[in-house]
Amino acid sequence: MWTLLSIALAAASATAAAAQEPAPQTRQAVIEQAQGEKVKTLRPPVPNKGERIMAKAESILTTVGRGWYPVFDSAYTGGGFALGVGYRQYASPYSLLDVRGSYSIRAYKLAEVEFTSPRLFHRRGKLSLLGGWREATQVGFFGLGMNTSKDDRTNYGFEQPYASATLTLEPTRRFLLLRGGLEWSRWKEQPGQGAFPSIETAYSPAALPGIGAEPTYIHSQGTVGFDWRTSRDYSRRGGFYGVTLHDYEDRDERFGFRRVDYELIQHVPMLREAWVVSLRGRVSTTFDKTDQHVPFFMLPAMGGGSTLRGYSSFRFRDRNSLLLQAEWRIMASRYLDSVVFYDAAKVTSQRADLDLDGLKSDFGFGVRFHGPFTTPFRVDLARSREGLVLVFGSSSVF
């Protein structure tokens, strides 16, 4: 009897224990249970010293909110390394008032005030009101056309006060782009400074229209394009295809002209955007108005930090220009890209000569410090037939 009682008690105990154990789980349930246990031990990642430094630099260089910030923009291409300061203040919940200025190692000076309202017409429009003054002291001029020598360089300078209003519309949000602008400016061409001869010692006003000129321009422009990049100043996908018409009306009817710019940009991402092949093509053509001429300092030019990087700024000038560029961009870290690039370009006096014959070219590599939408600092080392050129920039090339 005791034996039967023991067996009954053992069976009851086993049945109770089995009832307390959970039913067999599916594979999905096992995974969810493991994830739940892992959540209990998760802790926020602690950035190391290098990551903290990079995050701080990004917050300073790429901030778009109020407060003080550094300015690296030179007054004009070729001014060399520039340093300045700016201050932004909200004029409304989204509109900004921005005051900035800079001074470069070649004594180029810049002072600007800009008001931007980026959320007009249900976030489909942006208005920019800009006023400023700049001075460039030693802009290079090497002659007209492609068959010039770097040893023929002369310098000129200019002062320019300006004021403009620009309205950008995106009716379909990040695809169709419409832009219109109106600008008043006064150019005052001056003798050049620096180590090279001043331009008036080598050319006369009759031989080179614009020497000693002081044209006052009313510049109107209009752009129609398709833009589906994530940002104009830093993007790893998308493209821009557009045409811009410019009209420069000279008050004295001596140096008025028209210009048309055609531009194509395409970013092709690879390996989940870890690599990007970026391509750009741009053509600029000018048209004289009756009995007027394009002044030499307003002619399309190639050379410098955003065109032919292996040549001096404004190395080639003429009435028309063609630019082709390619970059292979490699994401090295969250804030840094490395780049291998190739540039090719030419200038011509006749539009019919804008072909692929006689292109000047360069190649090189560089690095980009960037945020999600901006490129506040870049360095490029370019090689051409005229040597090595080290380029510093405060925005993307394209």
Side-chain angles (χ1 to χ4, degrees), residues 77-91:
T77 301
F81 180 76
L83 184 62
V85 67
Y87 183 80
R88 297 187 185 99
Q89 176 66 52
Y90 282 106

Side-chain angles (χ1 to χ4, degrees), residues 36-242:
E37 293 298 326
K38 188 175 181 180
V39 166
K40 298 177 182 179
T41 61
L42 288 178
R43 298 291 184 273
V46 179
N48 58 36
K49 184 177 181 180
E51 291 173 332
R52 291 196 299 270
I53 292 174
M54 294 295 288
K56 182 64 175 179
E58 181 192 33
S59 67
I60 293 173
L61 294 175
T62 65
T63 180
V64 295
R66 57 173 294 179
W68 297 96
Y69 65 96
V71 174
F72 300 105
D73 291 326
S74 177
Y76 201 58
T77 301
F81 180 76
L83 184 62
V85 67
Y87 183 80
R88 297 187 185 99
Q89 176 66 52
Y90 282 106
S92 72
Y94 299 107
S95 300
L96 278 172
L97 183 65
D98 190 346
V99 182
R100 54 186 178 259
S102 69
Y103 185 90
S104 81
I105 59 175
R106 293 177 181 164
Y108 286 30
K109 308 170 189 69
L110 173 69
E112 287 185 331
V113 178
E114 183 177 20
F115 171 83
T116 56
S117 185
R119 297 196 175 189
L120 300 177
F121 311 119
H122 303 287
R123 300 188 181 185
R124 299 189 181 188
K126 177 180 179 180
L127 175 67
S128 170
L129 302 177
L130 176 68
W133 172 88
R134 60 180 172 174
E135 180 183 26
T137 59
Q138 43 189 301
V139 185
F141 181 79
F142 300 83
L144 299 178
M146 298 295 289
N147 298 319
T148 59
S149 170
K150 65 177 182 179
D151 297 326
D152 294 334
R153 174 172 175 163
T154 58
N155 283 350
Y156 70 93
F158 70 87
E159 291 185 16
Q160 184 196 25
Y162 50 91
S164 67
T166 305
L167 178 63
T168 302
L169 297 175
E170 295 180 324
T172 57
R173 291 196 180 174
R174 296 192 180 277
F175 190 68
L176 177 63
L177 181 143
L178 305 173
R179 180 182 295 120
L182 189 66
E183 178 189 54
W184 171 92
S185 68
R186 185 176 70 244
W187 289 77
K188 183 179 181 181
E189 196 272 333
Q190 298 176 331
Q193 302 176 19
F196 299 94
S198 186
I199 193 170
E200 73 277 2
T201 64
Y203 303 91
S204 67
L208 191 64
I211 293 181
E214 297 184 23
T216 298
Y217 283 117
I218 300 297
H219 169 209
S220 55
Q221 63 173 305
T223 299
V224 178
F226 300 98
D227 190 355
W228 63 104
R229 297 167 293 178
T230 54
S231 171
R232 181 179 180 182
D233 197 42
Y234 182 76
S235 184
R236 304 188 67 81
R237 62 181 182 274
F240 169 77
Y241 297 12

Side-chain angles (χ1 to χ4, degrees), residues 253-272:
E253 297 185 348
R254 296 179 58 201
F255 299 107
F257 65 98
R258 295 184 178 90
R259 191 180 85 220
V260 182
D261 297 332
Y262 308 87
E263 186 169 29
L264 285 77
I265 296 173
Q266 185 65 58
H267 302 291
V268 182
M270 296 182 293
L271 300 179
R272 297 185 179 181

